[in-house]
Amino acid sequence: MTQIQKTDLLHNQVYHIIKEQIMDGDILPGERIIETRVAEQLGVSRGTIREAFQMLLKDGLLIRNDKIISIYNPDKKEISDVYECRISIESLAAKLATQRISSNEIIQLEKVISDSKQALKDNNKKSLTILNQAFHDIIHAASNNEQLIKICDTIKTKILFIRTRILKEHLSNFSDFVDDHEKIFIAIKNQDANLAEKEMRIHIESSFKTILDAIESK
């Protein structure tokens, strides 16, 4: 169990500790999580736990059913719903980013791709997961559309959970996404908005298909 530090707000620390446990699979999808038990484990008040739980409920990583709180456990329909939204909104983000991206953001994307290639050689799954999200976050920001960014933030944690928990053993997919990212980046750098939109759509649809295949294989 990660130790609580005294240098940050307690509920923020608890939030990050539980979130990491969920993402790492230490707490399983569908498992009930009990406020008093977590408070005892971490040595904090139930009020602190409630604040952290509220943050996780907002992320969608915790689900409340009456008085019972459990870990997010999406079925095939919910995963499909999330990815249908993602395909549309991120394709638009790539198109808008092509028209609005700054030179600094171009440099950031280029570095993320370079770092991703190195992480792939090193078989570093954790770095690849972080770099994957960083690539998309830069494009969201480069769209310069506040409503789009908010929508992306709303579903981001669920998408990360779905990818992390379902695709945790599928390293080959990392190679695919690095190649896809490079195609998207080249289209954005060349200011080809339609191609950037197309390549992003292909990328997300491919990710969605991989997830569905992984579900079917279980």
Side-chain angles (χ1 to χ4, degrees):
M1 178 68 69
T2 305
Q3 296 296 311
I4 292 292
Q5 305 297 316
K6 302 300 182 183
T7 55
D8 190 12
L9 293 173
L10 285 179
H11 69 272
N12 283 338
Q13 294 184 64
V14 172
Y15 163 75
H16 288 293
I17 289 168
I18 299 173
K19 183 176 180 180
E20 184 175 357
Q21 291 175 337
I22 293 170
M23 292 298 187
D24 289 346
D26 298 328
I27 313 174
L28 298 177
E31 183 177 338
R32 184 178 177 184
I33 186 166
I34 300 171
E35 183 182 291
T36 53
R37 187 177 299 168
V38 178
E40 289 173 5
Q41 289 173 339
L42 295 178
V44 297
S45 70
R46 291 178 63 181
T48 297
I49 298 298
R50 279 194 291 272
E51 289 182 84
F53 276 14
Q54 284 301 318
M55 295 168 72
L56 291 159
L57 285 162
K58 185 177 179 182
D59 283 346
L61 289 179
L62 294 184
I63 304 297
R64 188 192 300 275
N65 186 5
D66 292 329
K67 293 184 178 180
I68 296 174
I69 297 177
S70 57
I71 307 304
Y72 178 55
N73 187 24
D75 58 18
K76 186 175 178 180
K77 171 65 165 60
E78 183 167 0
I79 291 171
S80 296
D81 289 349
V82 170
Y83 265 80
E84 282 176 1
C85 292
R86 188 184 180 206
I87 288 166
S88 294
I89 201 70
E90 293 221 36
S91 298
L92 176 59
K95 182 176 183 178
L96 294 176
T98 305
Q99 301 160 349
R100 302 170 180 177
I101 196 165
S102 68
S103 57
N104 184 53
E105 286 166 333
I106 288 286
I107 292 169
Q108 290 176 42
L109 286 178
E110 201 159 25
K111 186 175 189 310
V112 166
I113 290 170
S114 175
D115 290 348
S116 297
K117 290 179 179 178
Q118 185 59 53
L120 194 61
K121 289 179 183 177
D122 296 338
N123 194 24
N124 191 331
K125 294 182 182 181
K126 186 170 184 178
S127 289
L128 284 163
T129 299
I130 293 168
L131 289 163
N132 181 27
Q133 190 59 57
F135 179 85
H136 289 276
D137 287 346
I138 294 166
I139 290 176
H140 300 165
S143 74
N144 199 25
N145 182 309
E146 291 301 323
Q147 294 304 312
L148 182 150
I149 292 167
K150 287 178 182 178
I151 294 169
C152 289
D153 283 344
T154 299
I155 62 173
K156 180 168 68 175
T157 304
K158 283 188 175 182
I159 290 167
L160 182 59
F161 174 88
I162 291 166
R163 285 202 312 257
T164 302
R165 300 309 313 140
I166 295 176
L167 298 180
K168 57 184 181 296
E169 303 301 330
H170 294 253
L171 181 63
S172 60
N173 295 307
F174 285 120
S175 177
D176 294 340
F177 91 64
V178 173
D179 289 342
D180 287 352
H181 284 184
E182 188 159 34
K183 291 176 184 176
I184 296 163
F185 167 69
I186 290 170
I188 291 173
K189 189 175 181 180
N190 291 338
Q191 298 183 310
D192 190 333
N194 290 333
L195 182 59
E197 181 180 30
K198 178 184 175 182
E199 293 292 356
M200 182 63 83
R201 179 173 292 275
I202 291 170
H203 171 54
I204 305 297
E205 287 177 345
S206 176
S207 176
F208 182 33
K209 182 180 183 304
T210 301
I211 287 168
L212 292 181
D213 288 346
I215 292 170
E216 294 296 333
S217 68
K218 290 186 176 181

